[in-house]
Amino acid sequence: MIFIAVKFTVLAAERDNWLPRLEEFTAATRGEPGNVFFDWSSSVENPDEFVLLEAFADAAAGEAHVRSDHFKAAIETMSEMVAEVPEIINVEVEGVGWSRMAEVTPRNR
């Protein structure tokens, strides 16, 4: 599985526009056959920072993603809205998706 984490620092004036402007990109990516997950979150420490966690079944699925029209369009949109070059982690890992954390389990109350 290809796992990717990206930190985007957006222009303060674009903070409220970031997710709405990337809504079609997000939906299209989630609909790709090789997409495992594609989830946005925002930093609790920096309101201008968004974090994207995404995974693809394999290298071919990741390559198909970056060749897609929706990816190319999103790159243009994001480039207009970021305050700096995003930080990225892109690794190949074993597995097919999320695993369960062994150390934390719900307690009956």
Side-chain angles (χ1 to χ4, degrees), residues 7-19 22 40 46-51 77-86:
K7 286 185 182 182
F8 296 91
T9 301
V10 302
L11 297 167
E14 296 291 356
R15 177 187 319 136
D16 293 338
N17 301 322
W18 182 257
L19 293 176
L22 296 173
W40 291 101
N46 178 355
D48 298 331
E49 183 179 271
F50 291 87
V51 177
T77 299
M78 289 187 276
S79 294
E80 296 170 0
M81 301 175 75
V82 294
E84 59 189 56
V85 175

Side-chain angles (χ1 to χ4, degrees), residues 1-2 29-37 55-58 60-62 64-65 96:
M1 176 175 76
I2 305 300
T29 301
R30 288 176 176 165
E32 292 175 13
N35 180 256
V36 178
F37 56 83
F56 297 91
D58 52 32
H65 171 65
V96 294

